[in-house]
Amino acid sequence: MKSLTDVFSDIGGRRAILGLGSVYIVLSVVWPFVRRPRRSPLEEELIVSILVGGAGLILFYWGYRLPQSDIRPEFFATVASWCFRAVGVMVGILVFIGLVAHLNDPAHNFLILPALAAVAGVGAGRHEARAKTRTYTLEQRNQELQQTQSELEETVTRLEESEQRYRTLAENFPNGAVGLLDDELRYTLVAGQGFEKVDLSAADLHGERVQDIYSDDILQVIEPNYRTTLDGEPTKFEQEIQGRTFEFRTHPLTDEDGDVYAILAMTQDITERKQYEAKLEQLVADLEESNERLEQFAYAASHDLQEPLRMVSTYLQLIERRYGDELDEEGEELFEYAVDGAERMRSMIDGLLQYSRIETMGDEFEPVDLDAVFDDVSEDLRMKIEDSGAEITVDRLPRVIGDENQLRQVFQNLLSNAIKFSGEEPPRIQVSAERNGEEWIVSVADQGIGIDPDDHEQIFEVFEGLHGGEDYAGTGIGLAVCNRIIERHDGEIWVESEPGEGSTFSFTLPAVTESAP
């Protein structure tokens, strides 16, 4: 069974109070006319009407003002419940009095006392409703405070864990230090393992401004970079402190609004690395100077050897013309060895000259059409191709960036080798190209005698021929020249081969960009 409060909740506590007030106002107006036949004194009837009407006006006004009060709407029914309970109690008392004795005029009492009781009930109800409203509000705020406290505790826990992780990381930062600086360039946190070789410690820096720690010459570098970081830009710079070289990296720390409130500075001792780099640079410079001297020597030696070699060749020709008929079979054989040796010497000298001039005598790089280069090489080797019966298949070749004359040498050497080492069968050669990002991979494949995998690297060295023996005689410089040319083009050259299964020589060249002519 529903309680009185639940009933008024269903019909509306405010409407019930307004209704009750309206009833008393109407009764106060019609009551004198209803009582006139009994001939009661007019003054008495007017007093009754005023009291009843006043109570009705108060009830109506309080019911009207309930939404503007500090009572929550769900507690309006409580006010109405108290009001009607008071009415019910007073009616019950009057009924009891009427049954017991005829005290005064029961009709007057019946009207006046319930009306006054209703006013008292509304007041009591308002008091209870306010109390419940405050209790409810306090409970809600208490729950919110508890939730906020729980969130704060979780946040504090996370911050403590984060700070502990940060401190652990900072304190174990290898060969350097990590620091936080505020907008006044004051160290708020410093930790790390980079203080062993300088006369400073984390304690010396903590809480101090950089202007109070470093000398003027150091500040001239550090302070502008830190100011730049406060403006929102990360920086990277090097500074020497007490004979040690440190690399600084700074990053701005921002709040939710994007404003920089601190600087994260990471410092690392790079003294040994700088010393190693200096030694390495010196070593590279020395190697470059040594290579240049070797190239000059190779060029000079090769050039100077040409004159005595020409004399040897000339005298051999004179001997052949004057005494060739007088030589016996053994003498002719020895004479042929001498001529062949001189010719091989001439080829080796020419190869050394080519090798030594790759860096110093090369042309500037420009877009090169490899199709045109290959056509020129094929024309130069036309007699050799026809004599060997070689069948050459060529895919469409790309445009690359390079030295046209040197790339012609590469194709000529690779095609000559493919024809020379074809074995007993006519050469079958495939030339192709494949794009790989910003470069092209050009390949020359044959079906010749192949190369042992153990020799794949050494064949690109000077005087390391592909194959020994009289059947495949050569200077051993051709592939070394190819390797040197491709290195100059920032590429690489390699071979894939097995004995009896042919060889594929591949090399990379930079591709022509769309902006190139």
Side-chain angles (χ1 to χ4, degrees):
M1 184 175 181
K2 290 185 177 181
S3 65
L4 190 60
T5 302
D6 294 334
V7 173
F8 287 121
S9 296
D10 294 338
I11 65 176
R14 180 168 172 259
R15 286 199 298 268
I17 296 172
L18 290 173
L20 183 61
S22 300
V23 169
Y24 281 126
I25 292 172
V26 171
L27 283 176
S28 68
V29 174
V30 302
W31 182 257
F33 301 100
V34 174
R35 293 289 294 175
R36 284 299 297 159
R38 295 191 178 188
R39 298 176 183 178
S40 298
L42 181 60
E43 296 84 3
E44 184 178 339
E45 301 299 336
L46 289 175
I47 292 173
V48 171
S49 295
I50 291 171
L51 291 175
V52 173
L57 288 173
I58 293 174
L59 289 172
F60 191 90
Y61 174 77
W62 280 357
Y64 176 79
R65 291 289 299 176
L66 271 178
Q68 286 77 41
S69 67
D70 56 354
I71 300 174
R72 294 182 61 84
E74 57 262 41
F75 299 133
F76 290 172
T78 301
V79 180
S81 174
W82 274 90
C83 176
F84 281 87
R85 284 174 182 169
V87 172
V89 170
M90 190 57 66
V91 169
I93 292 173
L94 292 174
V95 170
F96 177 76
I97 293 173
L99 293 175
V100 174
H102 300 285
L103 301 177
N104 300 321
D105 188 346
H108 291 170
N109 295 337
F110 190 85
L111 287 175
I112 296 171
L113 294 180
L116 296 177
V119 173
V122 168
R126 283 168 57 88
H127 177 73
E128 183 183 359
R130 284 196 183 96
K132 288 186 176 181
T133 298
R134 293 192 182 97
T135 301
Y136 176 83
T137 303
L138 288 174
E139 290 176 351
Q140 291 295 110
R141 291 180 179 175
N142 186 47
Q143 291 178 0
E144 293 174 357
L145 287 173
Q146 289 179 352
Q147 183 177 357
T148 302
Q149 181 180 0
S150 177
E151 293 174 354
L152 286 173
E153 290 176 353
E154 293 178 359
T155 302
V156 169
T157 301
R158 289 196 299 269
L159 287 174
E160 290 176 349
E161 293 175 351
S162 177
E163 181 182 4
Q164 182 60 39
R165 287 194 296 268
Y166 175 79
R167 286 187 176 276
T168 301
L169 175 64
E171 290 172 356
N172 292 277
F173 192 76
N175 200 33
V178 178
L180 288 178
L181 298 93
D182 59 20
D183 54 2
E184 295 182 353
L185 302 186
R186 187 186 306 277
Y187 286 102
T188 59
L189 177 63
V190 185
Q193 298 180 353
F195 300 100
E196 291 83 356
K197 298 179 181 180
V198 294
D199 188 20
L200 280 174
S201 66
D204 295 333
L205 300 179
H206 189 271
E208 299 291 336
R209 297 169 64 245
V210 296
Q211 296 89 338
D212 302 328
I213 299 172
Y214 301 114
S215 60
D216 292 340
D217 56 335
I218 297 177
L219 279 177
Q220 289 178 358
V221 177
I222 291 181
E223 187 171 2
N225 281 280
Y226 282 178
R227 297 291 181 191
T228 300
T229 308
L230 286 177
D231 291 335
E233 294 293 331
T235 65
K236 177 183 176 182
F237 60 95
E238 295 178 5
Q239 177 60 44
E240 184 174 328
I241 300 176
Q242 298 181 10
R244 308 290 297 180
T245 302
F246 290 87
E247 181 182 75
F248 288 74
R249 293 176 183 265
T250 66
H251 298 273
L253 301 180
T254 57
D255 55 23
E256 295 179 354
D257 298 328
D259 297 326
V260 179
Y261 68 90
I263 299 173
L264 173 63
M266 293 176 287
T267 308
Q268 195 160 26
D269 188 343
I270 60 170
T271 305
E272 284 74 15
R273 190 182 80 188
K274 296 293 289 186
Q275 293 172 349
Y276 175 78
E277 289 176 354
K279 291 180 181 178
L280 185 61
E281 290 175 359
Q282 184 61 45
L283 179 60
V284 170
D286 292 342
L287 287 174
E288 289 177 350
E289 184 179 356
S290 176
N291 286 337
E292 185 177 353
R293 290 176 180 174
L294 287 173
E295 289 175 1
Q296 293 174 353
F297 172 77
Y299 176 76
S302 301
H303 184 272
D304 294 342
L305 286 173
Q306 285 183 329
E307 182 60 29
L309 184 60
R310 277 195 295 268
M311 292 178 60
V312 171
S313 298
T314 300
Y315 283 121
L316 286 173
Q317 291 173 4
L318 289 173
I319 293 173
E320 184 179 15
R321 283 198 297 268
R322 293 183 181 182
Y323 308 106
D325 295 338
E326 301 178 10
L327 295 175
D328 58 12
E329 183 177 351
E330 183 179 1
E332 290 180 356
E333 184 179 1
L334 293 174
F335 184 80
E336 289 177 0
Y337 284 150
V339 172
D340 181 64
E343 182 63 24
R344 285 174 57 82
M345 178 66 73
R346 185 191 63 78
S347 298
M348 293 178 68
I349 291 174
D350 289 342
L352 280 175
L353 284 173
Q354 287 183 358
Y355 188 82
S356 64
R357 291 176 177 178
I358 288 174
E359 293 288 345
T360 58
M361 304 295 290
D363 297 330
E364 292 186 2
F365 288 178
E366 60 183 3
V368 177
D369 186 352
L370 291 185
D371 274 329
V373 171
F374 187 82
D375 290 341
D376 291 343
V377 172
S378 298
E379 182 62 26
D380 293 340
L381 299 176
R382 183 167 58 87
M383 294 298 297
K384 184 180 291 187
I385 294 173
E386 291 177 354
D387 291 344
S388 64
E391 179 181 323
I392 302 177
T393 304
V394 186
D395 295 345
R396 182 173 178 80
L397 299 179
R399 296 176 73 226
V400 297
I401 299 295
D403 183 332
E404 183 174 352
N405 290 326
Q406 289 186 349
L407 294 180
R408 184 181 289 110
Q409 285 182 276
V410 172
F411 274 112
Q412 186 163 346
N413 286 336
L414 293 181
L415 283 178
S416 297
N417 287 338
I419 294 172
K420 181 190 296 186
F421 302 109
S422 62
E424 298 179 358
E425 298 294 329
R428 297 292 181 267
I429 303 170
Q430 171 72 39
V431 181
S432 60
E434 178 184 0
R435 184 69 179 259
N436 182 26
E438 298 297 323
E439 62 184 13
W440 283 95
I441 301 176
V442 182
S443 300
V444 178
D446 62 56
Q447 300 178 10
I449 62 176
I451 305 170
D452 191 293
D454 294 337
D455 299 330
H456 283 184
E457 294 185 6
Q458 71 180 35
I459 60 176
F460 294 105
E461 302 294 333
V462 179
F463 300 132
E464 293 289 344
L466 284 173
H467 297 277
E470 296 181 357
D471 293 337
Y472 302 105
T475 62
I477 294 180
L479 288 179
V481 170
C482 292
N483 185 38
R484 190 82 179 276
I485 291 174
I486 297 303
E487 284 180 349
R488 183 181 176 231
H489 287 71
D490 293 329
E492 58 178 327
I493 185 171
W494 67 95
V495 64
E496 297 174 3
S497 180
E498 292 287 344
E501 298 182 5
S503 304
T504 299
F505 284 86
S506 302
F507 56 91
T508 59
L509 293 171
V512 174
T513 60
E514 295 181 359
S515 59

